[in-house]
Amino acid sequence: MPAPRTTSGEAADPHPRSGELDESQAPSDARFSPEEEAALLSQSHAEKAEANELFKRADYSQAISVYDRALASVPNYLDYEIAVLKSNVAACHLKLLDWKAAVDEATKSLEALDRLEAPLSSAKKDGSNEDGHGVKDDARSNDDDGVVELADTDEDEAEALKKLQNDDQRKEEVRRIRIKALMRRARARSEQGGWANLQGALEDYQHLSTLSSHLPPSDSRIVHTALSTLPPRIAAAKEKEMGEMMGKLKELGNGILKPFGLSTDSFKFEKDEKTGGYNIGMKS
């Protein structure tokens, strides 16, 4: 892999002197030249295409290996490409019924999308472009009436329209990958079971419900069903885990109380229906 460059275009020093902090190698600053970046992306895209074919042939374990190779070729600041690949890896783990790995990879995909959208949100507030370099946008939104103002000349107007179209397309692509990653994580959490995982699945499906107008019909049905079936599963899992926890506490308590001729049977446990907790008192 070619050596990354700083934002100023200077090559990072590959051999800094001992004890010397080489700030040019900081991940937040490191960038490849446009030519190097294009070459790395071309390699990554070829490996992703190979992995996609392996997935279609149901060779999921090998597909994961090739997706990982594709990830290794992607510069670590290209969050969209990382998000797509991590979501694909999550899909492979779902097919292999490896729920925990699927949750982990889908979460990494969503984290990459969050990093990607953060600069866009900042750009809207300060009028900078999507790269965050403070360049004033040719197409400005009027806060009073919501009308987009275009530049005066035909050339500037065409450029502004093109940027608006590109921004809209980018937002749509980010939303599409977010939906896929959320659907995959929600399913994996639901399959894992347990109070915390089921609660997490419900939160993912609730998030997806806010994107209902962008969901395919099949995903909409899954979300609708999950929102009605998960709450009772969560309640049952919570009751079960609380009961198991109380059993372990009782066992521990018996060990502590035994030298004093007492046991937990000397106490009464009363559940507080309002809080779900327990009150402990001596039996009369």
Side-chain angles (χ1 to χ4, degrees):
M1 182 180 291
R5 296 179 178 273
T6 66
T7 52
S8 64
E10 297 177 351
D13 183 359
H15 303 295
R17 288 185 288 276
S18 177
E20 186 179 35
L21 178 63
D22 184 9
E23 294 181 358
S24 68
Q25 291 185 333
S28 59
D29 280 343
R31 291 289 188 276
F32 291 95
S33 70
E35 295 78 12
E36 292 168 339
E37 184 178 299
L40 289 169
L41 281 177
S42 177
Q43 179 181 344
S44 178
H45 290 164
E47 288 165 334
K48 182 177 74 170
E50 179 185 348
N52 288 346
E53 289 302 316
L54 289 167
F55 184 91
K56 291 176 185 177
R57 297 202 298 267
D59 191 350
Y60 305 119
S61 295
Q62 186 60 28
I64 290 172
S65 297
V66 181
Y67 280 132
D68 283 342
R69 290 210 314 265
L71 277 162
S73 299
V74 176
N76 63 4
Y77 53 85
L78 296 182
D79 291 310
Y80 177 77
E81 285 75 10
I82 292 171
V84 171
L85 290 167
K86 286 293 185 181
S87 180
N88 287 358
V89 173
C92 292
H93 285 302
L94 281 178
K95 292 293 187 180
L96 294 171
L97 310 185
D98 189 344
W99 312 124
K100 183 181 183 305
V103 169
D104 291 343
E105 295 299 324
T107 298
K108 290 174 184 176
S109 175
L110 292 164
E111 289 172 347
L113 293 177
D114 289 341
R115 291 193 300 272
L116 179 65
E117 290 186 318
L120 291 177
S121 298
S122 298
K124 288 180 181 179
K125 292 178 181 178
D126 62 19
S128 63
N129 69 354
E130 65 184 31
D131 293 327
H133 296 316
V135 178
K136 195 171 184 180
D137 197 346
D138 286 334
R140 301 178 297 278
S141 176
N142 187 313
D143 292 335
D144 295 330
D145 55 19
V147 176
V148 175
E149 299 176 358
L150 298 177
D152 294 334
T153 68
D154 291 342
E155 292 80 3
D156 288 345
E157 182 173 335
E159 185 64 28
L161 283 170
K162 182 179 179 180
K163 187 179 188 307
L164 285 173
Q165 291 168 351
N166 289 341
D167 287 348
D168 288 343
Q169 183 178 2
R170 186 182 189 189
K171 291 174 186 174
E172 180 59 35
E173 286 299 306
V174 168
R175 182 165 49 228
R176 182 177 65 84
I177 298 304
R178 184 176 294 281
I179 286 171
K180 285 189 174 184
L182 281 169
M183 289 292 296
R184 288 163 182 169
R185 187 172 72 175
R187 183 195 164 194
R189 283 174 161 175
S190 180
E191 294 287 354
Q192 269 189 297
W195 180 10
N197 289 320
L198 293 174
Q199 184 63 45
L202 179 62
E203 291 169 3
D204 283 343
Y205 284 124
Q206 288 171 336
H207 187 168
L208 284 160
S209 70
T210 67
L211 304 169
S212 57
S213 61
H214 303 282
L215 296 177
S218 58
D219 287 351
S220 291
R221 289 192 292 270
I222 292 171
V223 171
H224 179 75
T225 300
L227 290 176
S228 62
T229 59
L230 276 172
R233 289 182 63 194
I234 292 171
K238 178 181 178 181
E239 186 69 23
K240 179 175 181 291
E241 291 181 25
M242 290 291 289
E244 290 173 350
M245 182 184 69
M246 291 304 298
K248 291 178 181 178
L249 288 173
K250 184 175 181 180
E251 183 179 344
L252 176 63
N254 283 335
I256 295 172
L257 294 170
K258 186 175 181 180
F260 303 98
L262 298 171
S263 73
T264 55
D265 291 334
S266 305
F267 301 86
K268 59 182 178 180
F269 297 80
E270 296 181 345
K271 184 176 179 180
D272 186 332
E273 297 299 336
K274 292 182 179 179
T275 64
Y278 287 82
N279 299 319
I280 303 174
M282 288 289 293
K283 288 183 178 178
S284 55

